[in-house]
Structures are given as structure tokens and as C-alpha cells.
Amino acid sequence: MLVAIAFAQETLPVYKKVKNGVDESAPVGALSKSDWMKELPIPKEKVQKVSWVKETVEVTDKKGRVVKDKKGRPKTKVKKTKVVTWVEREPKEPPTYVPIDCKYGTVWVRRAELARFQQEALDLSGEYASATGSVYLKKSPNNPKRFNVVIQNGPESGRAEIEMGNLEIREANGHARFAYQEDGCIVDIAVTGRRVKVAQRGCDDYNVGSYTLAGEYNNYKGNTRKAEVFNMPEKEFKFKKYLWCGSGFDSCEETKDENGAVYITWSKGGNGFIERKAGETVHTYRPFEHVIPHKREFYKGEKPVAIKTKRTDMAGEWMIWYFYPKAERFKMVRANMREDIAYMEIYQ
């Protein structure tokens, strides 16, 4: 199965100010989430302020002599003098551009883009890569404190991988941390400054050869979009009987299809479709996405290839197909249901 990846690089364009103006056609560069940045105070506006100063002065005639009243006292009047000064004040309207300090020095950015960039920078979601693998963090749409975490290390033909859902993010010593535990496996994940460090205790079932879950994944690639292409060779298998399970393993019973032997074709036409055929009755399942199997899905130590599919002739019929090449075994499980109550069929 090939995976085509498109990168959605979140960056912040930065500009220099020339003659009190910003030229967006010539950005100095762009900042990524891993770059340091410091906001600077927004410059105040300089505005002209006019005031009038009142002053009491003596009245004089055209020759400059003081004019006196009948009692001999100097006459006075109030004189207004116009005073013009320049004062600084906070901008009445939010500025379009604001200054920041960064690796490019003092530069200017769009205020709206800065706010968006800062909000995105708080989100830890995205891909963190090493030379041999990646950690994917995806924030829950329903709870910002919970994440789905996927670790994949090694080539697709034999890689250590695990998917851990609904992990709560915790703060410890300035780091964001996630913890996962199941029988025989403990995984600790620390995120610091767009770098991820994974430690494991046990988890041998998920290791493949020299590849483990543990490691340092320090290359932050941002949020990536995967378009999966299911290029796998076509294989056909015949089964006279199979296990039909209406509600979990406890309900399984061996049965025969009323139309005769069942033929399962894996990757029909080499493009990932799965076909179940018995007599003239054919069910076709369209591949949707690759699924990372939990170790409870392993069969005699063999990790299956797992694909989430949709039955083409039924609305809302989502199934996960597990294929065990060595054992020549298939398991089809209704998606989004607990293992103990899910409908399933097992061919072996």
C-alpha cells in the first residue's frame, strides 16, 4: 500500500517597513511554528494637539501706553494664545501591521495573521518525524485536552506501530505529556518545543526487528494530509465453512453459506477492493483507510494487514477487514463497535 502525503505548512510571512509603509510584494521571509518570536509594543500615533492659554494683560493704546480707568487703575483684558503640540496616543483603530522580533530582526506582520499563527502554534497536532518514523498527534474535535496518537517507525513492509486513542494531555515540568498503558506495554510521550520523545516499557508485540516505538522525533512537519493508494497484489482464497459471530466472539458458530463455497478475493484488480462471492451472490467492499491493528488482533504472532472498508451496495455498512497472509485467514468486523459485541465473520 502506497501513501501519498501533501504537506500543509503553516507559516507566517514577515515584512520590512520602508518609508512608513509595508510592501507585501517583497516579504523578508516566513516563520514556522518551531521558530522563536517575540511581540513588540505597538507604536503609538503622533497627533497634533491645539490648546489655548488664557493670560491677563494690561490694555495699551496705539503708542504702547497703559490705559487707565477713571480711578487711575490700569485696565486689563484676557488674552488667548494658541499653542500647538504633538502628542502620542494609542491607535483608535487596530493597526493592520504589528511589529515582532524574530530571527529576521525587527519585522512587521499582519495582525490578523499573527493571531491565527499564535493560535495554531498552541495546537500540538501534526507530524513529528525521525529518520525512520513518525509520531502523529491529532487533537480531539470534542475535547481540546485529548488526543489520538499514532506511532510508526520503520519501513511499511515491517514497522513498529501503534495507535492510542483519547489520551489526555498533561503538563509536567514545562512539558506536555501523554501516557498509555495496556497489558505488557507502557508508552510515555513527552512534547517539548515541537520535539517528541517516546519511551516504552515492554510493548514487545509491537516491535518489528530492530524497530521499536521509542525514539526521538524532532522534525516537526506540521499537519499532513494522507491520500492512501491501495496498490496490493490480488489474491483469492476458497472457504467451505466460516465462523459467523452475531455479537462478539462468544456468539461465534461454524456455518456454511447457503450458496456454496465462499471465495474471498483480496485487493480485487490490484487496487484494494475486497470481494466476497458465494455462488452468484457477490459483496464488494471499497477500501477507505489503513488501520493499525491492536495486538489483540494478532493471530499466532502474525500481525494482519487491516483496512477499513465500505460495502458498495449498502449505505452506512462499514467493515474492517483483517488479512493474515501466512495463516491464509480473514476476519471481517463491523467498524466502530466494541470487540465483545461487534458483528464479525472469520474465514480460516
Side-chain angles (χ1 to χ4, degrees):
M1 178 177 57
L2 299 179
V3 180
I5 300 178
F7 294 98
Q9 184 67 40
E10 297 98 347
T11 58
L12 178 67
V14 299
Y15 311 94
K16 284 286 187 182
K17 209 168 193 180
V18 181
K19 296 182 179 179
N20 296 322
V22 172
D23 182 8
E24 286 199 16
S25 65
V28 178
L31 301 179
S32 66
K33 288 182 180 179
S34 58
D35 290 325
W36 68 273
M37 178 190 65
K38 179 183 178 182
E39 289 187 74
L40 298 177
I42 297 175
K44 295 181 179 180
E45 293 180 336
K46 286 187 177 182
V47 296
Q48 194 179 70
K49 181 178 180 182
V50 177
S51 60
W52 294 88
V53 177
K54 294 181 180 181
E55 182 183 6
T56 301
V57 297
E58 293 178 337
V59 178
T60 58
D61 59 18
K62 293 182 179 180
K63 294 183 178 181
R65 293 174 296 189
V66 177
V67 179
K68 297 182 179 181
D69 59 16
K70 294 180 181 181
K71 294 183 179 181
R73 293 174 299 186
K75 287 185 175 182
T76 61
K77 64 178 181 179
V78 176
K79 180 181 178 181
K80 291 184 178 180
T81 303
K82 182 179 180 181
V83 179
V84 178
T85 58
W86 289 89
V87 297
E88 292 183 340
R89 71 175 185 188
E90 299 294 335
K92 286 187 176 181
E93 297 293 332
T96 302
Y97 301 94
V98 293
I100 63 170
D101 186 22
C102 65
K103 63 183 181 181
Y104 298 108
T106 298
V107 291
W108 296 75
V109 298
R110 277 187 166 271
R111 182 177 55 84
E113 290 183 353
L114 176 62
R116 171 194 57 79
F117 184 77
Q118 289 175 319
Q119 183 62 37
E120 290 177 350
L122 294 175
D123 185 3
L124 298 178
S125 296
E127 178 185 0
Y128 301 77
S130 69
T132 57
S134 292
V135 174
Y136 300 90
L137 304 182
K138 185 177 180 181
K139 184 168 61 177
S140 167
N142 302 319
N143 187 339
K145 291 187 176 182
R146 292 195 173 271
F147 283 71
N148 289 332
V149 181
V150 171
I151 303 173
Q152 294 179 318
N153 189 27
E156 185 178 351
S157 58
R159 65 187 174 195
E161 59 182 353
I162 189 172
E163 182 170 0
M164 301 163 285
N166 202 33
L167 300 189
E168 183 178 5
I169 187 171
R170 299 181 183 275
E171 296 291 334
N173 300 322
H175 307 322
R177 305 190 79 96
F178 301 94
Y180 173 79
Q181 183 172 354
E182 63 177 62
D183 288 344
C185 179
I186 297 176
V187 181
D188 181 73
I189 303 164
V191 186
T192 309
R194 299 294 171 186
R195 294 169 178 260
V196 170
K197 185 174 182 179
V198 177
Q200 69 180 81
R201 185 184 306 168
C203 311
D204 294 338
D205 292 330
Y206 294 104
N207 297 336
V208 177
S210 61
Y211 295 103
T212 66
L213 306 175
E216 296 186 1
Y217 303 80
N218 295 332
N219 180 16
Y220 179 70
K221 293 187 173 182
N223 290 298
T224 56
R225 296 187 297 270
K226 292 185 178 180
E228 301 194 58
V229 183
F230 300 88
N231 293 331
M232 298 173 288
E234 177 179 316
K235 296 182 179 181
E236 184 182 84
F237 300 86
K238 177 183 177 181
F239 301 94
K240 294 181 179 180
K241 298 179 181 180
Y242 66 97
L243 293 178
W244 184 92
C245 316
S247 180
F249 276 116
D250 294 340
S251 67
C252 290
E253 58 184 54
E254 190 174 69
T255 186
K256 292 183 178 181
D257 193 289
E258 61 183 8
N259 295 307
V262 177
Y263 293 86
I264 304 292
T265 303
W266 176 261
S267 192
K268 183 79 172 179
N271 56 17
F273 282 74
I274 301 169
E275 181 184 270
R276 181 195 186 279
K277 182 178 180 180
E280 298 300 319
T281 303
V282 179
H283 299 158
T284 303
Y285 298 84
R286 180 187 300 274
F288 177 69
E289 64 180 357
H290 171 71
V291 176
I292 298 176
H294 188 275
K295 70 177 183 180
R296 64 172 171 267
E297 306 296 348
F298 294 8
Y299 181 72
K300 296 182 179 179
E302 182 181 3
K303 183 172 75 172
V305 180
I307 298 176
K308 184 177 181 180
T309 66
K310 184 178 184 297
R311 186 165 153 179
T312 57
D313 62 335
M314 294 182 67
E317 185 74 345
W318 292 91
M319 294 290 185
I320 298 177
W321 279 85
Y322 298 92
F323 175 40
Y324 306 80
K326 292 181 181 179
E328 297 186 352
R329 180 180 192 261
F330 291 92
K331 182 167 70 170
M332 183 185 72
V333 181
R334 179 164 285 126
N336 304 319
M337 292 188 71
R338 292 203 325 264
E339 183 80 10
D340 59 334
I341 61 172
Y343 171 84
M344 67 183 74
E345 296 174 10
I346 300 173
Y347 301 84
Q348 59 190 20

